[in-house]
mmCIF file with all atom_site columns, all heavy atoms in Angstrom:
data_model
loop_
_atom_site.group_PDB
_atom_site.id
_atom_site.type_symbol
_atom_site.label_atom_id
_atom_site.label_alt_id
_atom_site.label_comp_id
_atom_site.label_asym_id
_atom_site.label_entity_id
_atom_site.label_seq_id
_atom_site.pdbx_PDB_ins_code
_atom_site.Cartn_x
_atom_site.Cartn_y
_atom_site.Cartn_z
_atom_site.occupancy
_atom_site.B_iso_or_equiv
_atom_site.pdbx_formal_charge
_atom_site.auth_seq_id
_atom_site.auth_comp_id
_atom_site.auth_asym_id
_atom_site.auth_atom_id
_atom_site.pdbx_PDB_model_num
ATOM 1   N N   . ALA A 1 1  ? 16.091 5.443  -8.978 1.00 0.00 ? 164 ALA A N   1
ATOM 2   C CA  . ALA A 1 1  ? 17.414 5.599  -8.380 1.00 0.00 ? 164 ALA A CA  1
ATOM 3   C C   . ALA A 1 1  ? 17.331 5.829  -6.925 1.00 0.00 ? 164 ALA A C   1
ATOM 4   O O   . ALA A 1 1  ? 18.159 5.245  -6.137 1.00 0.00 ? 164 ALA A O   1
ATOM 5   C CB  . ALA A 1 1  ? 18.131 6.826  -9.040 1.00 0.00 ? 164 ALA A CB  1
ATOM 6   N N   . LEU A 1 2  ? 16.291 6.519  -6.451 1.00 0.00 ? 165 LEU A N   1
ATOM 7   C CA  . LEU A 1 2  ? 16.152 6.922  -5.023 1.00 0.00 ? 165 LEU A CA  1
ATOM 8   C C   . LEU A 1 2  ? 15.518 5.832  -4.192 1.00 0.00 ? 165 LEU A C   1
ATOM 9   O O   . LEU A 1 2  ? 15.264 6.041  -3.032 1.00 0.00 ? 165 LEU A O   1
ATOM 10  C CB  . LEU A 1 2  ? 15.523 8.221  -4.878 1.00 0.00 ? 165 LEU A CB  1
ATOM 11  C CG  . LEU A 1 2  ? 16.294 9.415  -5.514 1.00 0.00 ? 165 LEU A CG  1
ATOM 12  C CD1 . LEU A 1 2  ? 15.602 10.718 -5.164 1.00 0.00 ? 165 LEU A CD1 1
ATOM 13  C CD2 . LEU A 1 2  ? 17.732 9.473  -5.053 1.00 0.00 ? 165 LEU A CD2 1
ATOM 14  N N   . LYS A 1 3  ? 15.233 4.647  -4.797 1.00 0.00 ? 166 LYS A N   1
ATOM 15  C CA  . LYS A 1 3  ? 14.728 3.534  -4.007 1.00 0.00 ? 166 LYS A CA  1
ATOM 16  C C   . LYS A 1 3  ? 15.863 2.926  -3.153 1.00 0.00 ? 166 LYS A C   1
ATOM 17  O O   . LYS A 1 3  ? 15.623 2.265  -2.121 1.00 0.00 ? 166 LYS A O   1
ATOM 18  C CB  . LYS A 1 3  ? 14.084 2.458  -4.832 1.00 0.00 ? 166 LYS A CB  1
ATOM 19  C CG  . LYS A 1 3  ? 15.096 1.723  -5.726 1.00 0.00 ? 166 LYS A CG  1
ATOM 20  C CD  . LYS A 1 3  ? 14.399 0.665  -6.548 1.00 0.00 ? 166 LYS A CD  1
ATOM 21  C CE  . LYS A 1 3  ? 15.417 -0.155 -7.408 1.00 0.00 ? 166 LYS A CE  1
ATOM 22  N NZ  . LYS A 1 3  ? 14.729 -1.137 -8.207 1.00 0.00 ? 166 LYS A NZ  1
ATOM 23  N N   . HIS A 1 4  ? 17.124 3.285  -3.492 1.00 0.00 ? 167 HIS A N   1
ATOM 24  C CA  . HIS A 1 4  ? 18.289 2.765  -2.791 1.00 0.00 ? 167 HIS A CA  1
ATOM 25  C C   . HIS A 1 4  ? 18.492 3.713  -1.606 1.00 0.00 ? 167 HIS A C   1
ATOM 26  O O   . HIS A 1 4  ? 18.601 4.921  -1.751 1.00 0.00 ? 167 HIS A O   1
ATOM 27  C CB  . HIS A 1 4  ? 19.518 2.769  -3.679 1.00 0.00 ? 167 HIS A CB  1
ATOM 28  C CG  . HIS A 1 4  ? 19.308 1.907  -4.867 1.00 0.00 ? 167 HIS A CG  1
ATOM 29  N ND1 . HIS A 1 4  ? 19.278 0.545  -4.847 1.00 0.00 ? 167 HIS A ND1 1
ATOM 30  C CD2 . HIS A 1 4  ? 19.213 2.230  -6.202 1.00 0.00 ? 167 HIS A CD2 1
ATOM 31  C CE1 . HIS A 1 4  ? 19.101 0.057  -6.086 1.00 0.00 ? 167 HIS A CE1 1
ATOM 32  N NE2 . HIS A 1 4  ? 19.077 1.060  -6.914 1.00 0.00 ? 167 HIS A NE2 1
ATOM 33  N N   . GLY A 1 5  ? 18.566 3.146  -0.402 1.00 0.00 ? 168 GLY A N   1
ATOM 34  C CA  . GLY A 1 5  ? 18.669 3.960  0.799  1.00 0.00 ? 168 GLY A CA  1
ATOM 35  C C   . GLY A 1 5  ? 19.810 4.926  0.822  1.00 0.00 ? 168 GLY A C   1
ATOM 36  O O   . GLY A 1 5  ? 19.665 6.118  1.240  1.00 0.00 ? 168 GLY A O   1
ATOM 37  N N   . ILE A 1 6  ? 21.001 4.484  0.401  1.00 0.00 ? 169 ILE A N   1
ATOM 38  C CA  . ILE A 1 6  ? 22.208 5.408  0.482  1.00 0.00 ? 169 ILE A CA  1
ATOM 39  C C   . ILE A 1 6  ? 22.014 6.588  -0.479 1.00 0.00 ? 169 ILE A C   1
ATOM 40  O O   . ILE A 1 6  ? 22.359 7.738  -0.166 1.00 0.00 ? 169 ILE A O   1
ATOM 41  C CB  . ILE A 1 6  ? 23.461 4.645  0.157  1.00 0.00 ? 169 ILE A CB  1
ATOM 42  C CG1 . ILE A 1 6  ? 24.694 5.560  0.335  1.00 0.00 ? 169 ILE A CG1 1
ATOM 43  C CG2 . ILE A 1 6  ? 23.493 4.047  -1.219 1.00 0.00 ? 169 ILE A CG2 1
ATOM 44  C CD1 . ILE A 1 6  ? 24.874 6.128  1.739  1.00 0.00 ? 169 ILE A CD1 1
ATOM 45  N N   . LEU A 1 7  ? 21.428 6.319  -1.642 1.00 0.00 ? 170 LEU A N   1
ATOM 46  C CA  . LEU A 1 7  ? 21.199 7.404  -2.611 1.00 0.00 ? 170 LEU A CA  1
ATOM 47  C C   . LEU A 1 7  ? 20.116 8.384  -2.115 1.00 0.00 ? 170 LEU A C   1
ATOM 48  O O   . LEU A 1 7  ? 20.246 9.560  -2.337 1.00 0.00 ? 170 LEU A O   1
ATOM 49  C CB  . LEU A 1 7  ? 20.867 6.870  -3.947 1.00 0.00 ? 170 LEU A CB  1
ATOM 50  C CG  . LEU A 1 7  ? 21.982 6.035  -4.630 1.00 0.00 ? 170 LEU A CG  1
ATOM 51  C CD1 . LEU A 1 7  ? 21.521 5.533  -6.008 1.00 0.00 ? 170 LEU A CD1 1
ATOM 52  C CD2 . LEU A 1 7  ? 23.266 6.802  -4.794 1.00 0.00 ? 170 LEU A CD2 1
ATOM 53  N N   . ARG A 1 8  ? 19.128 7.808  -1.475 1.00 0.00 ? 171 ARG A N   1
ATOM 54  C CA  . ARG A 1 8  ? 18.093 8.678  -0.927 1.00 0.00 ? 171 ARG A CA  1
ATOM 55  C C   . ARG A 1 8  ? 18.637 9.538  0.180  1.00 0.00 ? 171 ARG A C   1
ATOM 56  O O   . ARG A 1 8  ? 18.256 10.722 0.276  1.00 0.00 ? 171 ARG A O   1
ATOM 57  C CB  . ARG A 1 8  ? 16.884 7.794  -0.430 1.00 0.00 ? 171 ARG A CB  1
ATOM 58  C CG  . ARG A 1 8  ? 15.638 8.608  -0.045 1.00 0.00 ? 171 ARG A CG  1
ATOM 59  C CD  . ARG A 1 8  ? 14.534 7.662  0.292  1.00 0.00 ? 171 ARG A CD  1
ATOM 60  N NE  . ARG A 1 8  ? 13.288 8.431  0.612  1.00 0.00 ? 171 ARG A NE  1
ATOM 61  C CZ  . ARG A 1 8  ? 12.435 8.825  -0.260 1.00 0.00 ? 171 ARG A CZ  1
ATOM 62  N NH1 . ARG A 1 8  ? 12.617 8.553  -1.566 1.00 0.00 ? 171 ARG A NH1 1
ATOM 63  N NH2 . ARG A 1 8  ? 11.388 9.537  0.137  1.00 0.00 ? 171 ARG A NH2 1
ATOM 64  N N   . GLU A 1 9  ? 19.475 8.966  1.009  1.00 0.00 ? 172 GLU A N   1
ATOM 65  C CA  . GLU A 1 9  ? 20.108 9.738  2.089  1.00 0.00 ? 172 GLU A CA  1
ATOM 66  C C   . GLU A 1 9  ? 20.959 10.866 1.500  1.00 0.00 ? 172 GLU A C   1
ATOM 67  O O   . GLU A 1 9  ? 20.877 11.982 1.983  1.00 0.00 ? 172 GLU A O   1
ATOM 68  C CB  . GLU A 1 9  ? 20.986 8.817  2.930  1.00 0.00 ? 172 GLU A CB  1
ATOM 69  C CG  . GLU A 1 9  ? 21.689 9.492  4.093  1.00 0.00 ? 172 GLU A CG  1
ATOM 70  C CD  . GLU A 1 9  ? 22.546 8.527  4.882  1.00 0.00 ? 172 GLU A CD  1
ATOM 71  O OE1 . GLU A 1 9  ? 22.375 7.319  4.768  1.00 0.00 ? 172 GLU A OE1 1
ATOM 72  O OE2 . GLU A 1 9  ? 23.489 9.033  5.533  1.00 0.00 ? 172 GLU A OE2 1
ATOM 73  N N   . ARG A 1 10 ? 21.703 10.607 0.532  1.00 0.00 ? 173 ARG A N   1
ATOM 74  C CA  . ARG A 1 10 ? 22.547 11.631 -0.066 1.00 0.00 ? 173 ARG A CA  1
ATOM 75  C C   . ARG A 1 10 ? 21.729 12.698 -0.794 1.00 0.00 ? 173 ARG A C   1
ATOM 76  O O   . ARG A 1 10 ? 22.100 13.838 -0.843 1.00 0.00 ? 173 ARG A O   1
ATOM 77  C CB  . ARG A 1 10 ? 23.614 11.017 -1.032 1.00 0.00 ? 173 ARG A CB  1
ATOM 78  C CG  . ARG A 1 10 ? 24.655 10.180 -0.235 1.00 0.00 ? 173 ARG A CG  1
ATOM 79  C CD  . ARG A 1 10 ? 25.728 9.579  -1.121 1.00 0.00 ? 173 ARG A CD  1
ATOM 80  N NE  . ARG A 1 10 ? 26.716 8.850  -0.363 1.00 0.00 ? 173 ARG A NE  1
ATOM 81  C CZ  . ARG A 1 10 ? 27.701 8.180  -0.858 1.00 0.00 ? 173 ARG A CZ  1
ATOM 82  N NH1 . ARG A 1 10 ? 27.903 8.154  -2.137 1.00 0.00 ? 173 ARG A NH1 1
ATOM 83  N NH2 . ARG A 1 10 ? 28.534 7.489  -0.037 1.00 0.00 ? 173 ARG A NH2 1
ATOM 84  N N   . GLN A 1 11 ? 20.612 12.251 -1.404 1.00 0.00 ? 174 GLN A N   1
ATOM 85  C CA  . GLN A 1 11 ? 19.786 13.213 -2.064 1.00 0.00 ? 174 GLN A CA  1
ATOM 86  C C   . GLN A 1 11 ? 19.148 14.121 -1.015 1.00 0.00 ? 174 GLN A C   1
ATOM 87  O O   . GLN A 1 11 ? 18.981 15.277 -1.296 1.00 0.00 ? 174 GLN A O   1
ATOM 88  C CB  . GLN A 1 11 ? 18.711 12.442 -2.882 1.00 0.00 ? 174 GLN A CB  1
ATOM 89  C CG  . GLN A 1 11 ? 17.895 13.350 -3.754 1.00 0.00 ? 174 GLN A CG  1
ATOM 90  C CD  . GLN A 1 11 ? 18.718 13.827 -4.978 1.00 0.00 ? 174 GLN A CD  1
ATOM 91  O OE1 . GLN A 1 11 ? 19.738 13.332 -5.272 1.00 0.00 ? 174 GLN A OE1 1
ATOM 92  N NE2 . GLN A 1 11 ? 18.152 14.798 -5.703 1.00 0.00 ? 174 GLN A NE2 1
ATOM 93  N N   . ALA A 1 12 ? 18.768 13.570 0.128  1.00 0.00 ? 175 ALA A N   1
ATOM 94  C CA  . ALA A 1 12 ? 18.236 14.358 1.189  1.00 0.00 ? 175 ALA A CA  1
ATOM 95  C C   . ALA A 1 12 ? 19.232 15.425 1.658  1.00 0.00 ? 175 ALA A C   1
ATOM 96  O O   . ALA A 1 12 ? 18.909 16.615 1.970  1.00 0.00 ? 175 ALA A O   1
ATOM 97  C CB  . ALA A 1 12 ? 17.776 13.512 2.351  1.00 0.00 ? 175 ALA A CB  1
ATOM 98  N N   . GLU A 1 13 ? 20.494 15.025 1.777  1.00 0.00 ? 176 GLU A N   1
ATOM 99  C CA  . GLU A 1 13 ? 21.536 15.978 2.149  1.00 0.00 ? 176 GLU A CA  1
ATOM 100 C C   . GLU A 1 13 ? 21.627 17.129 1.120  1.00 0.00 ? 176 GLU A C   1
ATOM 101 O O   . GLU A 1 13 ? 21.748 18.306 1.470  1.00 0.00 ? 176 GLU A O   1
ATOM 102 C CB  . GLU A 1 13 ? 22.897 15.268 2.263  1.00 0.00 ? 176 GLU A CB  1
ATOM 103 C CG  . GLU A 1 13 ? 22.961 14.267 3.373  1.00 0.00 ? 176 GLU A CG  1
ATOM 104 C CD  . GLU A 1 13 ? 24.303 13.525 3.456  1.00 0.00 ? 176 GLU A CD  1
ATOM 105 O OE1 . GLU A 1 13 ? 25.178 13.869 2.639  1.00 0.00 ? 176 GLU A OE1 1
ATOM 106 O OE2 . GLU A 1 13 ? 24.456 12.633 4.287  1.00 0.00 ? 176 GLU A OE2 1
ATOM 107 N N   . PHE A 1 14 ? 21.628 16.701 -0.205 1.00 0.00 ? 177 PHE A N   1
ATOM 108 C CA  . PHE A 1 14 ? 21.771 17.723 -1.279 1.00 0.00 ? 177 PHE A CA  1
ATOM 109 C C   . PHE A 1 14 ? 20.624 18.662 -1.227 1.00 0.00 ? 177 PHE A C   1
ATOM 110 O O   . PHE A 1 14 ? 20.776 19.872 -1.249 1.00 0.00 ? 177 PHE A O   1
ATOM 111 C CB  . PHE A 1 14 ? 21.789 16.994 -2.587 1.00 0.00 ? 177 PHE A CB  1
ATOM 112 C CG  . PHE A 1 14 ? 21.492 17.876 -3.740 1.00 0.00 ? 177 PHE A CG  1
ATOM 113 C CD1 . PHE A 1 14 ? 22.483 18.747 -4.266 1.00 0.00 ? 177 PHE A CD1 1
ATOM 114 C CD2 . PHE A 1 14 ? 20.253 17.876 -4.375 1.00 0.00 ? 177 PHE A CD2 1
ATOM 115 C CE1 . PHE A 1 14 ? 22.182 19.564 -5.350 1.00 0.00 ? 177 PHE A CE1 1
ATOM 116 C CE2 . PHE A 1 14 ? 19.987 18.704 -5.452 1.00 0.00 ? 177 PHE A CE2 1
ATOM 117 C CZ  . PHE A 1 14 ? 20.929 19.569 -5.895 1.00 0.00 ? 177 PHE A CZ  1
ATOM 118 N N   . VAL A 1 15 ? 19.324 18.162 -1.094 1.00 0.00 ? 178 VAL A N   1
ATOM 119 C CA  . VAL A 1 15 ? 18.199 19.037 -1.125 1.00 0.00 ? 178 VAL A CA  1
ATOM 120 C C   . VAL A 1 15 ? 18.191 19.980 0.037  1.00 0.00 ? 178 VAL A C   1
ATOM 121 O O   . VAL A 1 15 ? 17.892 21.128 -0.089 1.00 0.00 ? 178 VAL A O   1
ATOM 122 C CB  . VAL A 1 15 ? 16.886 18.174 -1.190 1.00 0.00 ? 178 VAL A CB  1
ATOM 123 C CG1 . VAL A 1 15 ? 15.693 19.070 -1.086 1.00 0.00 ? 178 VAL A CG1 1
ATOM 124 C CG2 . VAL A 1 15 ? 16.842 17.311 -2.459 1.00 0.00 ? 178 VAL A CG2 1
ATOM 125 N N   . THR A 1 16 ? 18.511 19.420 1.233  1.00 0.00 ? 179 THR A N   1
ATOM 126 C CA  . THR A 1 16 ? 18.538 20.255 2.465  1.00 0.00 ? 179 THR A CA  1
ATOM 127 C C   . THR A 1 16 ? 19.457 21.417 2.330  1.00 0.00 ? 179 THR A C   1
ATOM 128 O O   . THR A 1 16 ? 19.106 22.592 2.559  1.00 0.00 ? 179 THR A O   1
ATOM 129 C CB  . THR A 1 16 ? 18.912 19.396 3.667  1.00 0.00 ? 179 THR A CB  1
ATOM 130 O OG1 . THR A 1 16 ? 18.015 18.345 3.808  1.00 0.00 ? 179 THR A OG1 1
ATOM 131 C CG2 . THR A 1 16 ? 18.926 20.235 4.937  1.00 0.00 ? 179 THR A CG2 1
ATOM 132 N N   . ASP A 1 17 ? 20.676 21.176 1.898  1.00 0.00 ? 180 ASP A N   1
ATOM 133 C CA  . ASP A 1 17 ? 21.692 22.227 1.809  1.00 0.00 ? 180 ASP A CA  1
ATOM 134 C C   . ASP A 1 17 ? 21.456 23.171 0.643  1.00 0.00 ? 180 ASP A C   1
ATOM 135 O O   . ASP A 1 17 ? 21.743 24.327 0.712  1.00 0.00 ? 180 ASP A O   1
ATOM 136 C CB  . ASP A 1 17 ? 23.066 21.610 1.805  1.00 0.00 ? 180 ASP A CB  1
ATOM 137 C CG  . ASP A 1 17 ? 23.442 20.965 3.142  1.00 0.00 ? 180 ASP A CG  1
ATOM 138 O OD1 . ASP A 1 17 ? 22.952 21.438 4.160  1.00 0.00 ? 180 ASP A OD1 1
ATOM 139 O OD2 . ASP A 1 17 ? 24.196 20.039 3.142  1.00 0.00 ? 180 ASP A OD2 1
ATOM 140 N N   . ALA A 1 18 ? 20.908 22.621 -0.461 1.00 0.00 ? 181 ALA A N   1
ATOM 141 C CA  . ALA A 1 18 ? 20.567 23.476 -1.594 1.00 0.00 ? 181 ALA A CA  1
ATOM 142 C C   . ALA A 1 18 ? 19.464 24.447 -1.198 1.00 0.00 ? 181 ALA A C   1
ATOM 143 O O   . ALA A 1 18 ? 19.473 25.653 -1.609 1.00 0.00 ? 181 ALA A O   1
ATOM 144 C CB  . ALA A 1 18 ? 20.110 22.621 -2.779 1.00 0.00 ? 181 ALA A CB  1
ATOM 145 N N   . LEU A 1 19 ? 18.443 23.993 -0.469 1.00 0.00 ? 182 LEU A N   1
ATOM 146 C CA  . LEU A 1 19 ? 17.390 24.862 0.013  1.00 0.00 ? 182 LEU A CA  1
ATOM 147 C C   . LEU A 1 19 ? 17.931 25.903 0.956  1.00 0.00 ? 182 LEU A C   1
ATOM 148 O O   . LEU A 1 19 ? 17.555 27.089 0.904  1.00 0.00 ? 182 LEU A O   1
ATOM 149 C CB  . LEU A 1 19 ? 16.318 24.063 0.742  1.00 0.00 ? 182 LEU A CB  1
ATOM 150 C CG  . LEU A 1 19 ? 15.135 23.605 -0.151 1.00 0.00 ? 182 LEU A CG  1
ATOM 151 C CD1 . LEU A 1 19 ? 14.141 22.731 0.772  1.00 0.00 ? 182 LEU A CD1 1
ATOM 152 C CD2 . LEU A 1 19 ? 14.387 24.812 -0.638 1.00 0.00 ? 182 LEU A CD2 1
ATOM 153 N N   . ARG A 1 20 ? 18.833 25.537 1.857  1.00 0.00 ? 183 ARG A N   1
ATOM 154 C CA  . ARG A 1 20 ? 19.441 26.500 2.823  1.00 0.00 ? 183 ARG A CA  1
ATOM 155 C C   . ARG A 1 20 ? 20.179 27.569 2.024  1.00 0.00 ? 183 ARG A C   1
ATOM 156 O O   . ARG A 1 20 ? 20.009 28.745 2.314  1.00 0.00 ? 183 ARG A O   1
ATOM 157 C CB  . ARG A 1 20 ? 20.436 25.761 3.740  1.00 0.00 ? 183 ARG A CB  1
ATOM 158 C CG  . ARG A 1 20 ? 19.752 24.997 4.824  1.00 0.00 ? 183 ARG A CG  1
ATOM 159 C CD  . ARG A 1 20 ? 20.705 23.991 5.521  1.00 0.00 ? 183 ARG A CD  1
ATOM 160 N NE  . ARG A 1 20 ? 20.092 23.370 6.624  1.00 0.00 ? 183 ARG A NE  1
ATOM 161 C CZ  . ARG A 1 20 ? 20.594 22.234 7.219  1.00 0.00 ? 183 ARG A CZ  1
ATOM 162 N NH1 . ARG A 1 20 ? 21.719 21.685 6.796  1.00 0.00 ? 183 ARG A NH1 1
ATOM 163 N NH2 . ARG A 1 20 ? 19.929 21.702 8.260  1.00 0.00 ? 183 ARG A NH2 1
ATOM 164 N N   . ALA A 1 21 ? 20.960 27.152 1.031  1.00 0.00 ? 184 ALA A N   1
ATOM 165 C CA  . ALA A 1 21 ? 21.675 28.143 0.228  1.00 0.00 ? 184 ALA A CA  1
ATOM 166 C C   . ALA A 1 21 ? 20.739 29.064 -0.503 1.00 0.00 ? 184 ALA A C   1
ATOM 167 O O   . ALA A 1 21 ? 20.896 30.303 -0.613 1.00 0.00 ? 184 ALA A O   1
ATOM 168 C CB  . ALA A 1 21 ? 22.660 27.442 -0.734 1.00 0.00 ? 184 ALA A CB  1
ATOM 169 N N   . ALA A 1 22 ? 19.690 28.490 -1.084 1.00 0.00 ? 185 ALA A N   1
ATOM 170 C CA  . ALA A 1 22 ? 18.653 29.325 -1.847 1.00 0.00 ? 185 ALA A CA  1
ATOM 171 C C   . ALA A 1 22 ? 17.981 30.268 -0.898 1.00 0.00 ? 185 ALA A C   1
ATOM 172 O O   . ALA A 1 22 ? 17.730 31.445 -1.270 1.00 0.00 ? 185 ALA A O   1
ATOM 173 C CB  . ALA A 1 22 ? 17.707 28.403 -2.533 1.00 0.00 ? 185 ALA A CB  1
ATOM 174 N N   . LEU A 1 23 ? 17.584 29.837 0.324  1.00 0.00 ? 186 LEU A N   1
ATOM 175 C CA  . LEU A 1 23 ? 16.958 30.734 1.276  1.00 0.00 ? 186 LEU A CA  1
ATOM 176 C C   . LEU A 1 23 ? 17.853 31.842 1.723  1.00 0.00 ? 186 LEU A C   1
ATOM 177 O O   . LEU A 1 23 ? 17.385 32.972 1.939  1.00 0.00 ? 186 LEU A O   1
ATOM 178 C CB  . LEU A 1 23 ? 16.423 29.909 2.443  1.00 0.00 ? 186 LEU A CB  1
ATOM 179 C CG  . LEU A 1 23 ? 15.196 29.024 2.188  1.00 0.00 ? 186 LEU A CG  1
ATOM 180 C CD1 . LEU A 1 23 ? 15.036 27.975 3.274  1.00 0.00 ? 186 LEU A CD1 1
ATOM 181 C CD2 . LEU A 1 23 ? 13.942 29.904 2.084  1.00 0.00 ? 186 LEU A CD2 1
ATOM 182 N N   . LEU A 1 24 ? 19.179 31.576 1.884  1.00 0.00 ? 187 LEU A N   1
ATOM 183 C CA  . LEU A 1 24 ? 20.080 32.635 2.255  1.00 0.00 ? 187 LEU A CA  1
ATOM 184 C C   . LEU A 1 24 ? 20.178 33.624 1.112  1.00 0.00 ? 187 LEU A C   1
ATOM 185 O O   . LEU A 1 24 ? 20.247 34.870 1.348  1.00 0.00 ? 187 LEU A O   1
ATOM 186 C CB  . LEU A 1 24 ? 21.462 31.992 2.507  1.00 0.00 ? 187 LEU A CB  1
ATOM 187 C CG  . LEU A 1 24 ? 21.670 31.415 3.915  1.00 0.00 ? 187 LEU A CG  1
ATOM 188 C CD1 . LEU A 1 24 ? 22.832 30.398 3.954  1.00 0.00 ? 187 LEU A CD1 1
ATOM 189 C CD2 . LEU A 1 24 ? 21.897 32.539 4.943  1.00 0.00 ? 187 LEU A CD2 1
ATOM 190 N N   . GLU A 1 25 ? 20.153 33.165 -0.122 1.00 0.00 ? 188 GLU A N   1
ATOM 191 C CA  . GLU A 1 25 ? 20.192 34.091 -1.296 1.00 0.00 ? 188 GLU A CA  1
ATOM 192 C C   . GLU A 1 25 ? 18.928 34.939 -1.216 1.00 0.00 ? 188 GLU A C   1
ATOM 193 O O   . GLU A 1 25 ? 18.994 36.236 -1.432 1.00 0.00 ? 188 GLU A O   1
ATOM 194 C CB  . GLU A 1 25 ? 20.201 33.324 -2.652 1.00 0.00 ? 188 GLU A CB  1
ATOM 195 C CG  . GLU A 1 25 ? 21.532 32.532 -2.851 1.00 0.00 ? 188 GLU A CG  1
ATOM 196 C CD  . GLU A 1 25 ? 22.667 33.378 -3.375 1.00 0.00 ? 188 GLU A CD  1
ATOM 197 O OE1 . GLU A 1 25 ? 22.408 34.526 -3.802 1.00 0.00 ? 188 GLU A OE1 1
ATOM 198 O OE2 . GLU A 1 25 ? 23.779 32.895 -3.408 1.00 0.00 ? 188 GLU A OE2 1
ATOM 199 N N   . TRP A 1 26 ? 17.770 34.393 -0.964 1.00 0.00 ? 189 TRP A N   1
ATOM 200 C CA  . TRP A 1 26 ? 16.572 35.109 -0.839 1.00 0.00 ? 189 TRP A CA  1
ATOM 201 C C   . TRP A 1 26 ? 16.583 36.128 0.289  1.00 0.00 ? 189 TRP A C   1
ATOM 202 O O   . TRP A 1 26 ? 16.035 37.251 0.191  1.00 0.00 ? 189 TRP A O   1
ATOM 203 C CB  . TRP A 1 26 ? 15.367 34.149 -0.635 1.00 0.00 ? 189 TRP A CB  1
ATOM 204 C CG  . TRP A 1 26 ? 14.078 34.812 -0.303 1.00 0.00 ? 189 TRP A CG  1
ATOM 205 C CD1 . TRP A 1 26 ? 13.200 35.450 -1.253 1.00 0.00 ? 189 TRP A CD1 1
ATOM 206 C CD2 . TRP A 1 26 ? 13.462 34.920 0.968  1.00 0.00 ? 189 TRP A CD2 1
ATOM 207 N NE1 . TRP A 1 26 ? 12.105 35.950 -0.570 1.00 0.00 ? 189 TRP A NE1 1
ATOM 208 C CE2 . TRP A 1 26 ? 12.246 35.641 0.741  1.00 0.00 ? 189 TRP A CE2 1
ATOM 209 C CE3 . TRP A 1 26 ? 13.772 34.505 2.255  1.00 0.00 ? 189 TRP A CE3 1
ATOM 210 C CZ2 . TRP A 1 26 ? 11.341 35.893 1.816  1.00 0.00 ? 189 TRP A CZ2 1
ATOM 211 C CZ3 . TRP A 1 26 ? 12.936 34.745 3.284  1.00 0.00 ? 189 TRP A CZ3 1
ATOM 212 C CH2 . TRP A 1 26 ? 11.715 35.428 3.056  1.00 0.00 ? 189 TRP A CH2 1
ATOM 213 N N   . ALA A 1 27 ? 17.283 35.785 1.363  1.00 0.00 ? 190 ALA A N   1
ATOM 214 C CA  . ALA A 1 27 ? 17.380 36.660 2.543  1.00 0.00 ? 190 ALA A CA  1
ATOM 215 C C   . ALA A 1 27 ? 18.454 37.778 2.392  1.00 0.00 ? 190 ALA A C   1
ATOM 216 O O   . ALA A 1 27 ? 18.607 38.584 3.267  1.00 0.00 ? 190 ALA A O   1
ATOM 217 C CB  . ALA A 1 27 ? 17.732 35.861 3.811  1.00 0.00 ? 190 ALA A CB  1
ATOM 218 N N   . GLY A 1 28 ? 19.148 37.801 1.254  1.00 0.00 ? 191 GLY A N   1
ATOM 219 C CA  . GLY A 1 28 ? 20.046 38.924 0.982  1.00 0.00 ? 191 GLY A CA  1
ATOM 220 C C   . GLY A 1 28 ? 21.529 38.609 1.122  1.00 0.00 ? 191 GLY A C   1
ATOM 221 O O   . GLY A 1 28 ? 22.321 39.475 1.324  1.00 0.00 ? 191 GLY A O   1
ATOM 222 N N   . TYR A 1 29 ? 21.912 37.334 0.909  1.00 0.00 ? 192 TYR A N   1
ATOM 223 C CA  . TYR A 1 29 ? 23.286 36.924 1.079  1.00 0.00 ? 192 TYR A CA  1
ATOM 224 C C   . TYR A 1 29 ? 23.770 36.262 -0.243 1.00 0.00 ? 192 TYR A C   1
ATOM 225 O O   . TYR A 1 29 ? 23.022 35.577 -0.943 1.00 0.00 ? 192 TYR A O   1
ATOM 226 C CB  . TYR A 1 29 ? 23.499 35.855 2.149  1.00 0.00 ? 192 TYR A CB  1
ATOM 227 C CG  . TYR A 1 29 ? 23.315 36.504 3.561  1.00 0.00 ? 192 TYR A CG  1
ATOM 228 C CD1 . TYR A 1 29 ? 22.038 36.768 4.116  1.00 0.00 ? 192 TYR A CD1 1
ATOM 229 C CD2 . TYR A 1 29 ? 24.476 36.749 4.302  1.00 0.00 ? 192 TYR A CD2 1
ATOM 230 C CE1 . TYR A 1 29 ? 21.962 37.317 5.360  1.00 0.00 ? 192 TYR A CE1 1
ATOM 231 C CE2 . TYR A 1 29 ? 24.355 37.294 5.580  1.00 0.00 ? 192 TYR A CE2 1
ATOM 232 C CZ  . TYR A 1 29 ? 23.107 37.563 6.147  1.00 0.00 ? 192 TYR A CZ  1
ATOM 233 O OH  . TYR A 1 29 ? 22.985 38.107 7.373  1.00 0.00 ? 192 TYR A OH  1
ATOM 234 N N   . ASP A 1 30 ? 25.020 36.611 -0.589 1.00 0.00 ? 193 ASP A N   1
ATOM 235 C CA  . ASP A 1 30 ? 25.750 35.798 -1.613 1.00 0.00 ? 193 ASP A CA  1
ATOM 236 C C   . ASP A 1 30 ? 26.289 34.597 -1.019 1.00 0.00 ? 193 ASP A C   1
ATOM 237 O O   . ASP A 1 30 ? 27.032 34.683 -0.060 1.00 0.00 ? 193 ASP A O   1
ATOM 238 C CB  . ASP A 1 30 ? 26.863 36.696 -2.227 1.00 0.00 ? 193 ASP A CB  1
ATOM 239 C CG  . ASP A 1 30 ? 26.377 37.863 -3.027 1.00 0.00 ? 193 ASP A CG  1
ATOM 240 O OD1 . ASP A 1 30 ? 25.396 37.644 -3.823 1.00 0.00 ? 193 ASP A OD1 1
ATOM 241 O OD2 . ASP A 1 30 ? 26.926 38.938 -2.969 1.00 0.00 ? 193 ASP A OD2 1
#
């Protein structure tokens, strides 16, 4: 699925923001 450029781009957006949210949770934020 991620061989398609647009899907890979959107997956990168998802992973980036999901990691940011998870790191904020780890840092003590809801």
Side-chain angles (χ1 to χ4, degrees):
L165 297 187
K166 70 180 181 181
H167 303 289
I169 184 63
L170 295 181
R171 189 175 182 87
E172 179 181 341
R173 291 182 180 177
Q174 191 71 11
E176 294 177 5
F177 163 79
V178 176
T179 301
D180 292 329
L182 265 177
R183 286 166 173 164
L186 285 164
L187 278 161
E188 295 278 349
W189 173 77
Y192 287 79
D193 289 320

